[in-house]
Structures are given as C-alpha cells and as structure tokens.
Amino acid sequence: MLVAFTQTAQAQRLQDVRPGLSFAAAMSAALTGNSSVLLARTQEDLAQGAAQTARGVFDFNLNAQGGATRANDPLKQSDRNALLLNGFDLRYNLSDTTTTQAGATQLFANGLQANLVATHTTSMSNIFPISSTPRQSIGALTFQLRVPMLRNSGNVTAAPLRAAELEALAARGDLEFAVSNIVLSSALAYWDYLAKTQRLTIARNSERRGEESLDELRKLIAADELPQAEINLGLASQNDRRGARIAAEQALLESRRTLGRALGFSAEATMAIGELVDGFPEYSGVTTDSVARREALIARALEMRSDLVTLRQRQEAAQILFDAARKNELPQLDLVLGVTQSGLAEGSSPAAFGPGFGRNFGQGYSANLIFQMPLGNNAARGLIRQQAALVEAQRIRINELGHVISGSIETSAYAIVRAVEQLKEADAAVKTYAVGLANERTKRRLGLSTLIDILNVEDRYNNALLSAVQARQAYASAIAQFRFEAGMLLSREGDSYTARIDELLTPTASVSR
C-alpha cells in the first residue's frame, strides 16, 4: 500500500512545521513521506504480486470451444459407380460437422494433473439419406490423470510458489529495515540541525561580544587611554568571528535541507523549518552498568532484527529451489491414466447434447508411460549449480551480518557511555572557561591583562561551547545508533510502523532494556 500526499496534506504539514518541529512530529513525517519508505512499499507490492503470479499455476482452469465445418470432398470413380447403381448421380460428398468441447484442468501441489473433457460432435452428409443413415451425434466424456513419477514429483511443483511466498515475507522485512534506516537517518538529521542551530547561536553571540569589545576599545582610544594600534587586533578578531558566523549560517542551511529531505518535505516546507521544539536528551544516570545487558540485546537482535530475518527467509527460499532442482535432475517419467465414456445418438438435433452422452454408451480405459531424458542434462545441472551458489551466498551473508550486528551493538552501547563522559568534561570546560573569561576581563580593567589574553581565553571559551554542542549531538546520535543496531527503533501494528520516540529521548531506558 502506497502513501499518497495531496496538496492539502502537504499544506497541513507545512503549517505544522512553522511553530516549531518536535522530534515526534519529525519521525512521524519521515515514516509517511520519505521516498525510500515509499519505494520499499512498492518492492513489497512487487513481491506480493510475484507470489500471486506463482499461485496462478494451481488455479482451476475452465475451457470451452466450438465450431462448425462444411466439407465438399470429390468422390472416387468407384464410389460414384456404386452410387449410380443405386440411382444416385453424385460427384461430391457434402458433409457438415459441428463440434462442441468443454473441459476443466487442475494442477495440484504434489505434481498431479487432472483433466476432464466433454466433447459433442454432430455430423450429416448428403450420402447419409442414400443408406438411410440419420444425423449422427457422438458424445465423449474423458477423465485423464497425469502422475509424475520422477521429475516434477512430490513437492517440486510447488517449490516456486513456496519460494515466492518466502520472498514476499522477505520484502516485508526489507520494508521494515528501510523504515528503521529512515528513522535513524531522520533522528541523526534532527540532532544535526539542532546542533547547527546552537552553533550558529554561539557564533552570533561571539560576534556580538566582539562588537562590544570593539566599542569599548574605540572609547578607550578616543579617550587617549590606549594607542590606535590596539584596534587592529580587535578588528582582525572580529573578522574571524564574522567569518565563523557566516560559515555557521551556511552549515545550518545545508543541515535544514538534509533534514527536510529525510522527512520527505517539499522545498517550501523545508525552508519553513525553524526552531526545534525538543532539545538533546539528558545524560544523567547513565553509567557503565547501563550496558550490562548488551549480551541479551545481541541475542535478541540476532533473532529478531529484520535484515537478518530477511536473509534467513531468502536462504530458505534458495534451499527450497535447490532441493527442487536436484530432484528435477532425474529423467521425466509420467504415468497417464484415462477413462472415457462414449455415446451415440442418431437423428437428434445438433443442439441436443444429452442424447449423445446417454445413449448406446460404453466405457474405455487407457494407460500410458511417457519417458524423456535429455542427454547431458545441462539445463538441470546448471540450475543446480546456480541454486547451490545462492544458498551458499545467503549463508555467508547471514554469518557476516551476525558478526556485524554483535560488534555494532557492543560498540554502540559503549559509545553512549563514552559520549556521556565526554559531555561531562565538555560542560565542565564551559563552566571553567566562563569563569576564566570573566576573570580575564576584570584583570584587563585593572591593567593586569592584555587584549590578546582576553581574545585567547574567549576563543577557548567559544571552542568549549562548540565542543559541548558536538558532545550533546554525539550522545543523542549514539542513542539512535544503538537502538538501530539492536533492532529496537520501531513498533509495528499491521502494515503501519511507529518510531519508539520515548526510548530515543530517554537514554537510561535506551541502554538498560
């Protein structure tokens, strides 16, 4: 099922963005509007359609046909002479034949094929009246059962259907994994945009403080308390700050575009993204004890993560086709059993079908063996090699992905703890540099410090602020990455998915579960 967006829906989403975009609203928008999610849904529909197509082989088929033939066949001289002896001068045998046929065919999953055919034929000729022969109506009812004894026997016939159904399940897993990837990328884009917003604020505040310092310098120079040359260092520093602010503005624009694309926004809605409602997750209470259950999370992920489950389903499908290919390496030997009931009615109307089947009837039986064996059997053996390679390839992918998942959960779990440690140090550095900057300004007013000392401390203070923002972004991103690796980003109800917002915003729960 595809999600379609009308202009009204787009307008509503645009209106929802302008007051401020919450984290929950961003995740909801990504799940309904991201093009990768929509494309994954089309792939699921394709796989479901392929399974339905494979199921069509076992549909109950009805067929019917009918027709009439008029033949004008020249008579041999001997036949003409015989007719002349009876007083009939005929040169041609003019005959009319009408045939009607109806049947039903059913192929079963075990390879058996049953056919039932009813045929009604009426015939009339200009020679019939000479021999007092009335119109002939013949009815035949034939039942035939074809039993494969070697190739295509057992569950081989149903193997393509079973493989297609597993592929449809795998496509559902692909969709779930695509949705999980979109939630991850959208969460990372949200935190990146928030970080870029805060970095721009830091750059603007730094520029503002630089302007205030320049104003103070100009006043002191005007009062002949400082030489004119002192202004040069302040101007150079202010140029650097303006450049940093310009770069931060451009970075914010690029981050906004990335966030809008991740959420599936139009260009207009993307440009309308302003302040974000939610801030970075709090980091209090997260310790090394919080990752003690990582082994249980690894075991759960190895059992339930959608991309790994999908690979197992595809391996099972490949194994089914491999087993079928091995069995079909055998020659073809089919037993065909049949029973036929025929009847004959004379003089009845061509439209009367019943008499032809009910009068003067008799039964016949048939049994045939059909054998076929291609010399070399390259088609069957080549298919076996292909399917064996697919099974082995899936096995290798499953093992490799299992190793990747285990290592990624281990790494991302400790990444949260390390991010908390960095964040604590970054916050402590900000507080320390804030006090140091205030002290340096006091010393400057007392003549105990120089302008270059203030600029150096303020640069370090700005760098500490930026490092703190980066640490908060890394911490929030580590939570999202950990949830993704553990396969715990989504909840599914039927065909719909929702992101586990609370767990993405509550780091202690994110790690301890």
Side-chain angles (χ1 to χ4, degrees), residues 288 290-299 409-410 413-414 482 511:
T288 53
S290 300
V291 296
R293 294 193 59 198
R294 63 189 180 279
E295 292 183 359
L297 290 174
I298 290 173
I409 291 177
E410 183 85 11
Y414 279 107
F482 172 75
V511 183

Side-chain angles (χ1 to χ4, degrees), residues 17-176:
V17 169
R18 282 173 178 154
L21 181 64
S22 68
F23 187 73
M27 297 304 102
S28 177
L31 290 177
T32 56
N34 188 279
S35 59
S36 295
V37 175
L38 302 181
L39 287 173
R41 287 194 180 276
T42 64
Q43 295 303 310
E44 183 187 13
D45 288 340
L46 284 172
Q48 293 286 355
Q52 185 174 2
T53 300
R55 200 173 296 117
V57 175
F58 303 103
D59 287 345
F60 184 73
N61 289 305
L62 296 174
N63 57 82
Q65 61 179 350
T69 303
R70 167 162 287 190
N72 197 1
D73 300 320
L75 293 172
K76 295 185 294 183
Q77 187 62 46
S78 58
D79 294 334
R80 290 184 59 198
N81 292 337
L83 291 172
L84 285 171
L85 291 176
N86 292 307
F88 296 94
D89 184 11
L90 297 179
R91 296 178 179 272
Y92 298 94
N93 177 15
L94 182 62
S95 62
D96 292 316
T97 304
T98 302
T99 302
T100 304
Q101 188 178 78
T105 302
Q106 176 67 62
L107 177 64
F108 298 93
N110 59 4
L112 294 178
Q113 182 173 349
N115 298 288
L116 181 64
V117 179
T119 304
H120 184 267
T121 304
T122 63
S123 59
M124 185 63 190
S125 171
N126 59 347
I127 299 179
F128 282 6
I130 299 174
S131 58
S132 301
T133 301
R135 183 186 302 274
Q136 303 292 297
S137 294
I138 301 174
L141 188 64
T142 302
F143 175 77
Q144 191 178 74
L145 182 66
R146 186 166 186 150
V147 184
M149 304 178 69
L150 295 177
R151 182 178 296 180
N152 295 323
S153 62
N155 57 3
V156 174
T157 304
L161 173 59
R162 291 158 56 207
E165 290 174 340
L166 284 170
E167 181 60 35
L169 291 176
R172 168 64 63 87
D174 289 340
L175 170 61
E176 183 171 332

Side-chain angles (χ1 to χ4, degrees), residues 183-202:
V183 171
L184 173 63
S185 61
S186 299
L188 297 181
Y190 188 92
W191 301 135
D192 183 72
Y193 182 75
L194 178 60
K196 293 298 193 300
T197 302
Q198 294 182 358
R199 292 171 75 90
L200 177 58
T201 300
I202 293 171

Side-chain angles (χ1 to χ4, degrees), residues 230-312:
E230 285 284 332
I231 198 68
N232 294 330
L233 186 58
L235 290 173
S237 175
Q238 190 62 4
N239 289 335
D240 288 339
R241 298 184 190 202
R242 289 195 189 99
R245 185 258 304 162
I246 293 171
E249 289 174 342
Q250 180 62 29
L252 181 63
L253 285 175
E254 294 174 358
S255 181
R256 178 188 289 126
R257 180 181 61 84
T258 301
L259 176 60
R261 291 302 304 152
L263 305 187
F265 284 175
S266 65
E268 182 183 7
T270 298
M271 293 306 297
I273 298 176
E275 294 293 328
L276 301 181
V277 173
D278 295 306
F280 291 114
E282 295 296 328
Y283 63 89
S284 59
V286 179
T287 65
T288 53
D289 295 335
S290 300
V291 296
R293 294 193 59 198
R294 63 189 180 279
E295 292 183 359
L297 290 174
I298 290 173
R300 177 191 177 279
L302 292 178
E303 179 183 356
M304 300 183 63
R305 219 174 91 162
S306 58
D307 53 340
L308 194 54
V309 172
T310 294
L311 284 180
R312 293 194 185 104

Side-chain angles (χ1 to χ4, degrees), residues 291 409-420 422 474-475 478-479:
V291 296
I409 291 177
E410 183 85 11
T411 302
S412 60
Y414 279 107
I416 296 177
V417 179
R418 300 293 181 263
V420 170
Q422 285 184 303
Y475 172 58
I479 296 174

Side-chain angles (χ1 to χ4, degrees), residues 4-17:
F5 294 97
T6 62
Q7 291 182 350
T8 302
Q10 287 279 19
Q12 181 63 45
R13 294 177 68 184
L14 178 60
Q15 184 178 0
D16 293 340
V17 169

